[in-house]
Amino acid sequence: MAAAQQRGGTLTVGLGYDIDTLNVYSTGFLGDVQAAVVEGLVAPDAKANYVPVLATQVPTVRNGGIKIAPDGKTMTVTYRLRPGLKWSDGVPMTSEDVKFTWEAVKNPKFIAESKDGTEDISSIDTPNATTVVVNYKRVAPDFMSTLFTFGIFPKHTLDGKDLNTDAYNEKPLGTGPFMVKEFKRGQYVILERNPYYWRKDSKGVQLPYLDGMIFKIIPDSNTLVTQVRTGEVQLAYGIPYSQVTQLDGVPGVKIVKNNVLSWQHLDFNLKTIDAFKDVNVRKAFAYAINKAAVSKALGGYPTPINTVVVPVFSYTNPAVPKYDYNLARAQQLLDAAGWKVGSDGVRAKDGKRLSFKIMAQAGRSTDEDAEQVIIASLKQAGIELQPDNKSGVAFRDARYKGNYDLFYGGWITSADPTYSVFFGSKGVNNGQGYASAKIDALLARAESTLDPAQRTAALREFQTELMTDLPSIPVTSNPSMIAVTEKLGGFVPNPTNMTNFVNTSGWYLNK
Amino acid sequence: MNATHLLKRLLGTLPLLLGVSLLLFGVLHLAPGGPLDVYADNPSVSPEALAQMRTAFGLDQPLPVQYVSWVTAFFTGEWGYSIRTARPVTQEIAERIVPTLILGGTSFVLSLLIALPLGIVSAVRRYSGVDYVITFLSFLGVSMPVFWLALMLQLLFAVQWRILPSAGIQTIGSNSVLDLIHHLILPACILAFASVAGWSRYMRSSMVEVLGQDYVRTARAKGLTTSRVVYHHALRNALIPIITVVALDFATILSGAVITETIFAWPGIGRLFIESMNGRDYPVLMALMMAGSFALILSNLLADLAYAAVDPRIRYE
C-alpha cells in the first residue's frame, strides 16, 4: 500500500437520507458525515474490534486500563490521551473536554437521542491534561459502545451554551481528519482538510490524503444509482440488491460488499396470539421457511443464519438447534399440534384458521421481497399470511407496541450489542412480549462481566436457549452493498453502526 | 371588487383557518406514533432519555392543552421549533420555499404557455389529425406516473447523452443562474407535463363550447376572420372556467411537488413535508399544512379577482 497514495482530490459521497443535525449525540441517523469530523476515544474497526483513536490504547483489565473494585460492584476506566491533540481551530484538546462531554450529554436540558451510558458514570477525574479516569457505578462491559466512542465535545466553545440550538449542530468542531466548511440543508455538506489533524502515515506524511469530501443528499435510491452511473457521485452505500448487477458493469465503478452487523428475523406476537404460544407451532414456522429461497430472491447476497448473533462475532454459537427447510417436518408438527388442513388448504383447529397478518416496513423493497417468499413458503405448510405493511412512524409504533401478528424486519447493532434490549422481558425493543427468566438471567450475566470467557459462555448458552424457545426466527444476515469509484484507495467498509466514514484519513484518490 | 369587500373576505378566512387548524391538529395526533419514535428506533436509546425528551417538547401534556398553546403561539407569529432539527420552523420553511417557488413557478409558467395554445388549436381544428395527436399526448401525460417518466428522462439526458445533471439544484460551489437553469430543465418539464395535459383538455372543451355559441356564429356571419373570432370574441369567455382550475393548482405549487422534489433531490417544501411526516415533526407539519391551507384560500380569492377582471359581467358587492 505504501507507494501509491496520492495527496489531494475531493471525494463526492451520495447519502440517501436528509441530515437532521450534525451533532452525533442528537441525530436520528447513524452519522456518516459526523464520523469524518468528530472523533471518539476509541472506535470499532472493519472487524468490529475496538481500536484506539484519541486514546493511546483501548482500556482492558489486562493492560490495567480497567480496574474492578474489590467488592466487584464498580469499575474505573482510565484513558490516556495522545499528547499534542488539537481541535480543528488549533486549541489543544485535553481530558477536560472528555469530562465536559459527559456532563453536557448527561444534562437533562440537552435533548439527545444517545444518552446511553451517562447514568452509569458516578464521576470523572482529570489528574492531568492527558489522563481521564472514569468512575463507573457498576461493572459495565458495554461502556465502549456508548458515550466517548461517539465523539468528544469541545469545552472551550460549548461551555455554557444551549446544545439544542447551538451553531455546533450545523458546524461541529472536532479533532477528525476533516472539518465542516459548508452545510446546506437538504443539499450537501462540504468538508475540508483539518490542518491540525494528529495522524501521520507510516512515512510521516500528514493525513488526510484527501483535500476534502462532499456529501450530497439524494433521498431517492434510483437517482442515487443514476448519480453513480454518471460519475456525479463517487461513493454510495445501501445500493438496492436489484440494482447491483446494473452498476457492476459500469466502467470505473466497483461494488464492495459490507457484512454489516444486522440480522433479519420473523417475530411472533406472543402477547395476543394464542396459536403462537405453542412452541411446536413456532418450530413448524421455522421448518417451513426456505431461507435459501429468501436469499435467492434478494440476488443471493444475504446469508441464511441460524442464530441472532451474526457470524462476525467470536461468540456466535454454531451449535444452536437448527431448523433447516423441511416441509414434511413442519406439516408433521402442525398435525401433531392439532392444526388440520381444511377444505381451503389452510389449517384450522377448533374453528380457528391458521391465518395471520404479517408486517414489514412498507417501501423497504428488500424486506417486502423477503416477506413475499416467506408468505409463499408458509402457504405450502397450510399457513395463510396476509401482508399488513406500514411505513414511517406507524411502522415503528406497531413494532414497539406489538400491534402485529407476525413481524418481519431487521436490526443493526454496535460492535458490542446488548441483546437484552431485544429479548429481555423488559427490553425496550421487545414489542412481541417475550419473557423468559432463563434468558433474562443469561443476558444479565453476559452484560455484567468483563471476563471474555464468561461472557462468551453466557452468550452461547443464551443463543441455544433462544433457538430452543424460538420467539423469533433468524432468517438472513443482509450485507450492505457499496458502489465506489475504482480510483478510491484505502477504503475499508465498517460493519458497525459507527458507519463507513469512521476512518477516512487514509483514503486517497488515484489520479 | 372594492377594498371593503376584500377586507371582509380576508377577515372571513380567520375562523376558517382556525377550524382547519383544529382538524389538522386532531388528525395529526390521531395518526399512530409520535416524533420520538424516530429516536426509539435506535437500540441504544434509553427510556430515560425518551422521557426527558417528552417533557422537553411538551408532549406529556394533554392534547387540548397542547392545541391551545400551539394556537396562541401560531397566531402571534411564534411557530416553534422543529423537533427533528431543533431549528425555528420559520427558518426551516423559509429555506425550502425558495427552491419550491423556483421549480413550481417555472413549471407553472411553462404549463400555461404550452397548455393554452394547445387547447385552442385542438378546439379550433376539432377532429383533425392535430387534435388527435394532442389528445393522445395529453392522455399519456395524465396517465404516466411521474417517477417513471423522471427515471426515463434521467437515463436519457444524464446517463446516455450526458447533457443534463440528473439531480440537485446546483453544481456544488457554483452560484450561477445558468447552472440553476441547467438543473431546472428536467424537473420543471416533468412537472409541467402533467399540468399541460390536464389544462389543455379543459381549454379545449371550454373553447369548443364557446365556439358553438350564438354570438360567435354572429361574429362569423359578419365576415370576421377566424383568428379575430377566436382570439377576440371567444377566448376571453373560454378562459373563465380555466382560471378556477389553474388557480387551485397554483396553491399546490406552494405545497411543493413531493415526488418530483424527491426524485431530483430538489431541496424544497415537498421534501420537507415528507421528512417531517416520516418523523411526525408536529410543529413543522402544522406550519406547512396551515401555510398550504392559507395558500389555497388565497388562490381562491385570486381566482375570484381574475374572474372579475376577465368577465366584466361578474361583480362582487
Side-chain angles (χ1 to χ4, degrees):
Chain A
M1 67 173 267
Q5 290 97 335
Q6 306 216 20
R7 211 173 147 81
T10 300
L11 182 79
T12 308
V13 179
L15 289 182
Y17 60 91
D18 232 311
I19 297 164
D20 46 4
T21 160
L22 287 182
N23 186 332
V24 272
Y25 286 97
S26 45
T27 177
F29 300 97
L30 293 178
D32 295 299
V33 181
Q34 292 90 324
V37 176
V38 174
E39 289 177 320
L41 301 182
V42 297
D45 68 1
K47 293 199 172 74
N49 295 319
Y50 283 98
V51 291
V53 181
L54 295 179
T56 51
Q57 61 178 11
V58 174
T60 60
V61 176
R62 191 176 295 175
N63 68 20
I66 303 176
K67 287 205 173 68
I68 296 179
D71 63 358
K73 283 182 181 153
T74 61
M75 69 175 193
T76 301
V77 178
T78 306
Y79 295 96
R80 295 202 187 279
L81 303 181
R82 289 174 198 280
L85 288 172
K86 278 182 180 162
W87 296 100
S88 59
D89 61 357
V91 174
M93 186 253 168
T94 68
S95 55
E96 284 298 322
D97 293 309
V98 180
K99 186 177 179 183
F100 172 76
T101 303
W102 170 59
E103 286 163 351
V105 176
K106 193 179 68 153
N107 187 346
K109 285 200 189 112
F110 175 43
I111 302 162
E113 87 147 40
S114 310
K115 292 201 171 212
D116 212 16
T118 53
E119 293 305 316
D120 291 336
I121 297 171
S122 58
S123 66
I124 292 182
D125 304 322
T126 51
N128 59 48
T130 56
T131 308
V132 186
V133 181
V134 188
N135 301 304
Y136 279 85
K137 292 179 196 165
R138 66 174 182 99
V139 175
D142 63 334
F143 74 97
M144 272 191 294
S145 66
T146 60
L147 214 56
F148 306 127
T149 303
F150 283 125
I152 304 299
F153 282 145
K155 185 180 179 182
H156 69 282
T157 60
L158 287 177
D159 207 3
K161 300 279 175 62
D162 180 0
L163 263 173
N164 297 314
T165 53
D166 196 80
Y168 177 90
N169 298 333
E170 313 273 307
K171 227 174 184 177
L173 179 63
T175 56
F178 298 97
M179 51 193 201
V180 179
K181 186 180 174 201
E182 191 188 359
F183 173 22
K184 206 145 193 189
R185 285 191 175 268
Q187 294 190 52
Y188 56 81
V189 186
I190 301 178
L191 302 186
E192 60 183 358
R193 180 197 298 276
N194 167 9
Y196 296 102
Y197 191 53
W198 54 272
R199 205 188 299 234
K200 291 189 168 71
D201 74 2
S202 52
K203 286 188 294 182
V205 176
Q206 175 70 37
L207 293 177
Y209 294 119
L210 294 172
D211 286 336
M213 287 173 84
I214 294 173
F215 287 84
K216 261 174 125 172
I217 295 164
I218 301 156
D220 185 82
S221 66
N222 286 313
T223 307
L224 193 59
V225 170
T226 302
Q227 292 246 311
V228 173
R229 298 179 69 170
T230 60
E232 287 166 277
V233 154
Q234 295 165 297
L235 193 162
Y237 69 92
I239 303 292
Y241 294 142
S242 54
Q243 311 224 33
V244 170
T245 32
Q246 243 193 71
L247 274 179
D248 224 1
V250 177
V253 176
K254 65 177 174 186
I255 299 286
V256 177
K257 184 175 170 184
N258 185 14
N259 293 315
V260 290
L261 305 182
S262 84
W263 77 96
Q264 303 293 121
H265 50 91
L266 182 72
D267 285 358
F268 297 98
N269 183 342
L270 301 167
K271 282 193 287 202
T272 52
I273 310 289
D274 287 330
F276 296 158
K277 288 177 182 158
D278 182 349
V279 69
N280 286 320
V281 171
R282 304 204 289 270
K283 285 183 177 164
F285 269 76
Y287 281 119
I289 293 174
N290 189 345
K291 294 176 188 176
V294 172
S295 169
K296 201 176 161 199
L298 299 177
Y301 301 106
T303 316
I305 49 171
N306 296 312
T307 168
V308 297
V309 176
V310 290
V312 180
F313 294 121
S314 58
Y315 44 85
T316 292
N317 188 347
V320 289
K322 292 187 181 70
Y323 305 90
D324 292 331
Y325 179 54
N326 186 339
L327 195 57
R329 188 77 200 278
Q331 280 166 332
Q332 212 178 358
L333 279 167
L334 289 172
D335 283 336
W339 294 92
K340 303 283 183 233
V341 183
S343 55
D344 56 353
V346 178
R347 289 171 184 272
K349 180 179 167 182
D350 308 328
K352 268 194 180 165
R353 294 168 79 239
L354 210 47
S355 168
F356 307 99
K357 284 196 267 184
I358 175 169
M359 178 182 85
Q361 183 163 1
R364 184 175 284 188
S365 62
T366 44
D367 283 3
E368 286 181 329
D369 290 349
E371 185 188 25
Q372 286 304 319
V373 179
I374 290 172
I375 291 173
S377 255
L378 291 176
K379 194 179 172 192
Q380 309 224 305
I383 300 164
E384 183 182 73
L385 296 185
Q386 275 152 354
D388 178 27
N389 295 353
K390 296 185 167 79
S391 65
V393 176
F395 167 77
R396 297 189 193 104
D397 191 59
R399 189 175 59 186
Y400 285 101
K401 295 196 177 125
N403 290 334
Y404 53 79
D405 298 349
L406 285 158
F407 155 58
Y408 179 80
W411 290 118
I412 176 164
T413 68
S414 70
D416 212 349
T418 311
Y419 290 100
S420 60
V421 297
F422 308 111
F423 304 109
S425 50
K426 290 198 179 87
V428 271
N429 295 313
N430 176 357
Q432 58 181 138
Y434 176 63
S436 154
K438 207 165 167 189
I439 292 276
D440 283 351
L442 284 168
L443 288 176
R445 181 138 60 92
E447 287 161 17
S448 64
T449 175
L450 282 162
D451 180 354
Q454 266 197 39
R455 195 170 129 79
T456 301
L459 283 174
R460 288 219 168 141
E461 204 183 331
F462 148 73
Q463 293 169 64
T464 305
E465 182 62 25
L466 193 74
M467 287 305 100
T468 309
D469 217 9
L470 214 65
S472 166
I473 302 170
V475 184
T476 55
S477 180
N478 292 3
S480 165
M481 305 308 281
I482 306 169
V484 55
T485 169
E486 281 173 350
K487 286 183 186 156
L488 184 68
F491 170 70
V492 189
N494 193 295
T496 72
N497 63 354
M498 285 298 285
T499 93
N500 293 309
F501 304 93
V502 72
N503 188 10
T504 48
S505 68
W507 296 9
Y508 56 92
L509 277 171
N510 291 310
K511 301 224 167 72
Chain B
M1 188 188 290
N2 57 33
T4 342
H5 179 76
L6 195 68
L7 200 68
K8 261 196 228 159
R9 281 283 301 266
L10 280 174
L11 279 177
T13 61
L14 271 181
L16 190 61
L17 278 175
L18 204 65
V20 167
S21 76
L22 186 61
L23 258 173
L24 291 179
F25 194 87
V27 169
L28 257 188
H29 284 80
L30 274 179
L36 301 184
D37 292 4
V38 180
Y39 295 110
D41 212 24
N42 184 330
S44 66
V45 177
S46 64
E48 292 80 25
L50 282 177
Q52 266 178 18
M53 287 191 232
R54 198 163 289 121
T55 322
F57 290 124
L59 295 169
D60 52 345
Q61 303 283 324
L63 270 192
V65 176
Q66 284 188 44
Y67 176 69
V68 170
S69 61
W70 178 82
V71 168
T72 40
F74 190 83
F75 283 96
T76 52
E78 170 53 65
W79 290 13
Y81 290 83
S82 160
I83 295 178
R84 222 166 46 84
T85 67
R87 300 192 321 150
V89 170
T90 41
Q91 192 186 344
E92 204 73 70
I93 292 179
E95 269 177 23
R96 299 298 186 102
I97 194 95
V98 178
T100 288
L101 285 179
I102 292 175
L103 176 60
T106 310
S107 80
F108 186 78
V109 173
L110 207 62
S111 310
L112 270 184
L113 287 180
I114 301 171
L116 298 192
L118 274 188
I120 295 167
V121 170
S122 224
V124 173
R125 314 177 75 178
R126 193 148 53 124
Y127 306 132
S128 71
V130 180
D131 184 26
Y132 285 125
V133 169
I134 295 174
T135 305
F136 174 74
L137 283 178
S138 39
F139 278 114
L140 209 64
V142 171
S143 52
M144 191 160 1
V146 173
F147 72 89
W148 186 83
L149 182 66
L151 277 177
M152 289 301 123
L153 292 190
Q154 276 177 337
L155 217 61
L156 220 56
F157 287 93
V159 179
Q160 293 292 326
W161 299 334
R162 308 248 165 165
I163 46 176
L164 289 174
S166 59
I169 185 170
Q170 62 182 143
T171 309
I172 293 168
S174 161
N175 278 320
S176 79
V177 178
L178 215 67
D179 181 62
L180 174 70
I181 293 172
H182 205 206
H183 281 84
L184 192 57
I185 296 174
L186 276 184
C189 286
I190 282 162
L191 257 189
F193 194 47
S195 311
V196 167
W199 293 356
S200 67
R201 295 314 292 166
Y202 280 112
M203 189 66 224
R204 180 185 182 275
S205 58
S206 167
M207 198 69 183
V208 163
E209 200 189 314
V210 172
L211 284 178
Q213 280 179 3
D214 287 347
Y215 74 92
V216 174
R217 258 183 295 166
T218 311
R220 280 218 178 97
K222 283 197 297 183
L224 293 180
T225 60
T226 313
S227 68
R228 189 149 178 91
V229 171
V230 171
Y231 296 108
H232 281 251
H233 291 76
L235 181 60
R236 222 173 144 134
N237 282 323
L239 275 178
I240 296 172
I242 308 296
I243 287 172
T244 324
V245 179
V246 171
L248 289 182
D249 279 2
F250 183 71
T252 59
I253 284 179
L254 292 176
S255 327
V258 172
I259 301 173
T260 313
E261 284 186 0
T262 306
I263 294 177
F264 288 97
W266 197 266
I269 290 286
R271 257 175 66 201
L272 181 64
F273 184 79
I274 287 292
E275 288 151 32
S276 309
M277 197 64 208
N278 275 335
R280 294 284 190 281
D281 194 341
Y282 295 141
V284 178
L285 282 176
M286 283 304 291
L288 278 180
M289 294 199 291
M290 288 305 289
S293 314
F294 188 69
L296 199 65
I297 292 169
L298 207 66
S299 41
N300 255 313
L301 193 63
L302 280 177
D304 287 351
L305 289 174
Y307 257 65
V310 175
D311 187 350
R313 287 170 302 176
I314 299 168
R315 280 283 171 272
Y316 297 101
E317 297 309 330

